[in-house]
Each structure stands twice: as structure tokens, then as C-alpha cells.
């Protein structure tokens, strides 16, 4: 031991150590930006950001909801702050890479970035949608903007639903009426036109959204605060830093059900009134048709229509948009938009036709429609 010590004593073995340590430290500091590389990778893959979260009250963002979000409240404060900081950093990196500043964004989106509500994937999608003149115009409307940020194919799905509805509803009417189809053509026409309007609402209301709404005032009521914190789709995947409880997801079903009941009842009032006007006009011109077709009962048909939309249509479209499309198809096919659109087209076509058949059966079950030649109310998806 002493010999080894005497051999090393003449040399300055410890003098290079500070340099070695300094080089190691410098190398370590140069590797610190590696998390940013990870963030950039997440920015270019928006769908895994949504699809990897299990949703509900337990998502991989941890810690419950963002308290500034007004949605999915709850959870630990530390987890909210960490998730908000990560979202803010991701969003700022996306803006920097795109050469954009916060001042060039819509006010509500800029506020959401500052509050840490939205991750970089949402900003990346917004910048992509802005390249289209049509999408840029649609995003001037808050409702469309929140839905397009959650699903860039939302407008295509609206077009699919309304376009397919014309054919599927007519086919369903013919399937149920058969030899009476042309005798009741004016009723069929009124039914289809009114149902197309309802189709739009059935796509719009249950669609998943990226909430950019500000928090409610402290003086707001308990019920208002509760429904403000519910998602727009009961099954939608929560954004990073946000979570929804089971009660909030049930609240989404109740809230959309109430809206669809109002939409269905109102549209049916208009549609059945128009149908009766057409029937009466036909009777005035053709006296022989007086006993062929009776007027559609307005009140009972309208209420039955609203109930059907609030229950059957509401649940089917919530599952379609939140489970089948967002949780299953989009994570698998987000890089193949044409294939994704084609499959959505096929599924929505089947759902629309199924809804039309179910409505006619339901209308007969509750007694507002009789088989064959008597009254026939509105079709809905």
C-alpha cells in the first residue's frame, strides 16, 4: 500500500479531475433538452395523445382535472399544475416551430394555452385546419371550433350524416309503407326534410369537444357548475390534465338528452304542421283523397319524437362518436384519413338506417302511427 502510494505521489493524479468532471457535467447539461425532443414527438402524433388515456376519472395525465378548465374538476393541485405546465410548454413549442405568436390566435384559444388547458397536439391541429379557407371560416364559430379541434373530420361527418340521411330515410319510409309510399308521398317529403335538420343536431350535440369555455363565476348555481363541468360526449377521451368522473359522464347523457328532446319536439311541431298543411291542400284539390289520409296528430307526435331522440338517438350517437370513432377507429387509422372517412361513412349509414326503422316501429308501438294508410310521423336517425 505504501509502495503504491510512493509511486503515485510524484504525479498530479487529481489535477485533471476537475477537467474530467467539468467535461462530464457539460455533456450532461447538453442532454437536458432531450425531454423537449419527446414533446416534439408527441406534437406530431395527436391521436395517441387522446387514445392512450383511459378516460373517465383515471387518465394517464394524473391528478384529476385542470381547475381552470371548468371541466373535469377535482384531483390534486400538484398534478394539475404539472399537467398544465406540460401542456403550456408543448403548445409554445408548436407555436415557435410554426413561427406563430399568441397574438395571432383566437382569444379563447390563447387563454386556454396560458391556463394550460390544451396540449400541443390541439394547437398543431388548429394550425393545420387554418390552412383550409372553409375550416378557417367555420372556426369563427365557437361550437364548430371546439368540435373541429377534437376531430378534424367533424365537418365531413356532418356532411355524411345529412347526405346519407336523404337516401336512408327515404328507403326506410318505402320499406315500411310499400304500396302506400306514393299515396303518402307528401308525408314522406315532409318527414325527410325535417329529419335532415335533426340529423345535423344529432351529429353536432354528442360530438367530442375541446372545451375553450372560461370558468363559471363563483356565484353560479350548483347545477350550472355541475353541467358546465360535464363533457359534451359521455365517452370522449379526456385531454391531458383533465379527467371526468362517472357522474359527470352520466351528466353528459342527461344534458344532451334534454337538448335533443327540445330539438326533436320543436322540429316535429314544425314538421307535422307542414305535413298537415300538405294533406289539407291535397284534400282541397282532390276530393277523393279526403278519406285516404288523415292528419298527423301534432302534440302526441312531437312529444314522442322528442322522447325518441332523447333516449334512442342520444345513446346511439354518443356511443358512435365517443367509442367507435374516437376510441377505436381514430387511434388505428389517424394516418389514413380516406380509409377512416370511408369506414365512418359505412357505420353512420347503417346507424341512420337503423334509426329510421326503429323510429317507425316505436311510433307504431306508442300508438301515434297505424300500419298501412293512416298517419305516419317524422323519421329520425
Amino acid at each position: 500500500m505504501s509502495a503504491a502510494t510512493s509511486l503515485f505521489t510524484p504525479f498530479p493524479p487529481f489535477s485533471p479531475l476537475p477537467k474530467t468532471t467539468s467535461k462530464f457535467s457539460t455533456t450532461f447539461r447538453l442532454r437536458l433538452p432531450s425531454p423537449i425532443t419527446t414533446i416534439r414527438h408527441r406534437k406530431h402524433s395527436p391521436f395517441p395523445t387522446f387514445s392512450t388515456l383511459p378516460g373517465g376519472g383515471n387518465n394517464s395525465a394524473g391528478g384529476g382535472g385542470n381547475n381552470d378548465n371548468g371541466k373535469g374538476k377535482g384531483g390534486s393541485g400538484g398534478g394539475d399544475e404539472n399537467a398544465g405546465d406540460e401542456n403550456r410548454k408543448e403548445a409554445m413549442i408548436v407555436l415557435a416551430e410554426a413561427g406563430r405568436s399568441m397574438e395571432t390566435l383566437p382569444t379563447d384559444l390563447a387563454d386556454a394555452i396560458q391556463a394550460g388547458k390544451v396540449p400541443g397536439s390541439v394547437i398543431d391541429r388548429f394550425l393545420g385546419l387554418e390552412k383550409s379557407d372553409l375550416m378557417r371560416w367555420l372556426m369563427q364559430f365557437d361550437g364548430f371550433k371546439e368540435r373541429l379541434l377534437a376531430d378534424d373530420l367533424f365537418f365531413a361527418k356532418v356532411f355524411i350524416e345529412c347526405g346519407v340521411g336523404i337516401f336512408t330515410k327515404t328507403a326506410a319510409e318505402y320499406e315500411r309503407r310499400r304500396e302506400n309510399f306514393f299515396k303518402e308521398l307528401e308525408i314522406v317529403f315532409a318527414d325527410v326534410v325535417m329529419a335532415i335538420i335533426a340529423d345535423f343536431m344529432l351529429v353536432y350535440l354528442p360530438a367530442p369537444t375541446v372545451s375553450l369555455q372560461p370558468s363559471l363565476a363563483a356565484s353560479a348555481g350548483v347545477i350550472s357548475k355541475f353541467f358546465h363541468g360535464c363533457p359534451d360526449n359521455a365517452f370522449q377521451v379526456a385531454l391531458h390534465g383533465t379527467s371526468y368522473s362517472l357522474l359527470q359522464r352520466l351528466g353528459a347523457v342527461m344534458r344532451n338528452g334534454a337538448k335533443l328532446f327540445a330539438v326533436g319536439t320543436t322540429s316535429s311541431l314544425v314538421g307535422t304542421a307542414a305535413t298537415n298543411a300538405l294533406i289539407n291542400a291535397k284534400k282541397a284539390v282532390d276530393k277523393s283523397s279526403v278519406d285516404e289520409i288523415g292528419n298527423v296528430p301534432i302534440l302526441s307526435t312531437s312529444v314522442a319524437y322528442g322522447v325518441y331522440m332523447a333516449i334512442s338517438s342520444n345513446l346511439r350517437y354518443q356511443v358512435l362518436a365517443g367509442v367507435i370513432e374516437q376510441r377505436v377507429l381514430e387511434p388505428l387509422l389517424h394516418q389514413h384519413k380516406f380509409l377512416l372517412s370511408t369506414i365512418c361513412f359505412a357505420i353512420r349509414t347503417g346507424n341512420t338506417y337503423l334509426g329510421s326503422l326503429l323510429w317507425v316501429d316505436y311510433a307504431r308501438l306508442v300508438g301515434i302511427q297505424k300500419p298501412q294508410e293512416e298517419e305516419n310521423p317524422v323519421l329520425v336517425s
Side-chain angles (χ1 to χ4, degrees):
M1 180 71 70
S2 60
T5 304
S6 62
L7 287 173
F8 283 91
T9 301
F11 301 96
F14 296 102
S15 57
L17 288 179
K19 295 180 180 179
T20 304
T21 303
S22 176
K23 289 179 181 178
F24 178 79
S25 177
T26 303
T27 304
F28 181 75
R29 285 195 296 270
L30 288 174
R31 290 182 179 177
L32 283 178
S34 60
I36 297 179
T37 304
T38 304
I39 293 175
R40 288 177 180 171
H41 176 70
R42 289 179 58 191
K43 187 246 331 168
H44 293 295
S45 301
F47 288 102
T49 303
F50 291 94
S51 61
T52 53
L53 296 178
N58 302 314
N59 62 39
S60 59
N66 187 336
N67 289 334
D68 293 329
N69 191 10
K71 289 201 172 194
K73 296 179 183 179
S76 60
D80 293 343
E81 293 176 3
N82 291 338
D85 290 342
E86 290 179 13
N87 287 343
R88 192 179 303 107
K89 289 176 183 177
E90 287 185 26
M92 296 307 296
I93 289 171
V94 173
L95 289 175
E97 290 184 347
R100 298 283 295 272
S101 64
M102 297 277 284
E103 289 73 19
T104 62
L105 302 178
T107 304
D108 54 355
L109 186 58
D111 292 342
I113 293 175
Q114 287 285 44
K117 297 179 184 179
V118 293
S121 59
V122 173
I123 307 305
D124 191 42
R125 179 173 291 151
F126 172 81
L127 296 177
L129 290 169
E130 262 198 333
K131 297 176 183 178
S132 167
D133 293 336
L134 176 60
M135 297 302 169
R136 185 167 58 250
W137 178 76
L138 286 174
M139 287 194 295
Q140 294 178 10
F141 306 97
D142 292 341
F144 275 103
K145 178 166 57 182
E146 290 185 343
R147 285 160 176 80
L148 286 168
L149 289 179
D151 180 7
D152 52 0
L153 292 178
F154 168 73
F155 183 73
K157 292 172 183 177
V158 171
F159 181 78
I160 289 172
E161 194 73 34
C162 294
V164 169
I166 296 175
F167 300 99
T168 56
K169 293 178 193 311
T170 303
E173 286 273 14
Y174 181 77
E175 175 69 22
R176 294 305 185 190
R177 299 176 192 273
R178 293 293 182 177
E179 65 276 3
N180 295 307
F181 180 81
F182 291 102
K183 292 181 180 179
E184 304 175 355
L185 194 59
E186 63 279 352
I187 301 179
V188 174
F189 177 78
D191 286 354
V192 172
V193 170
M194 190 200 59
I196 295 303
I197 299 174
D199 277 343
F200 171 78
M201 299 306 297
L202 283 169
V203 180
Y204 184 87
L205 290 177
T209 61
V210 172
S211 177
L212 302 178
Q213 302 174 16
S215 300
L216 290 179
S219 58
V222 177
I223 296 178
S224 298
K225 288 182 178 179
F226 170 73
F227 283 112
H228 185 78
C230 295
D232 286 283
N233 184 287
F235 305 100
Q236 76 176 63
V237 180
L239 285 174
H240 183 65
T242 305
S243 64
Y244 301 113
S245 66
L246 177 61
L247 188 60
Q248 286 174 316
R249 292 184 181 274
L250 291 175
V253 176
M254 295 172 56
R255 182 179 60 190
N256 277 341
K259 291 179 179 179
L260 287 173
F261 175 80
V263 170
T265 302
T266 302
S267 60
S268 184
L269 285 171
V270 176
T272 50
T275 299
N276 287 343
L278 289 172
I279 292 174
N280 293 330
K282 182 177 179 179
K283 289 178 179 179
V285 175
D286 184 6
K287 300 297 183 180
S288 63
S289 64
V290 172
D291 297 327
E292 290 184 5
I293 305 175
N295 285 349
V296 177
I298 295 179
L299 183 59
S300 59
T301 298
S302 300
V303 173
Y305 189 28
V307 171
Y308 177 82
M309 288 188 67
I311 299 175
S312 176
S313 300
N314 181 28
L315 293 177
R316 283 187 292 108
Y317 277 85
Q318 294 252 7
V319 172
L320 174 61
V323 178
I324 297 175
E325 291 180 342
Q326 189 184 47
R327 290 183 178 269
V328 177
L329 295 179
E330 289 181 355
L332 293 175
L333 302 172
H334 66 272
Q335 293 181 341
H336 307 280
K337 294 294 185 182
F338 179 77
L339 180 58
L340 177 59
S341 300
T342 302
I343 295 178
C344 288
F345 173 84
I347 293 176
R348 286 183 174 272
T349 299
N351 181 62
T352 301
Y353 185 70
L354 173 64
S356 298
L357 295 178
L358 290 174
W359 161 248
V360 177
D361 290 337
Y362 164 78
R364 290 175 176 173
L365 179 65
V366 298
I368 60 174
Q369 171 190 346
K370 296 179 182 179
Q372 303 303 328
E373 72 273 15
E374 290 198 26
E375 65 270 17
N376 245 303
V378 182
L379 284 175
V380 67
S381 296

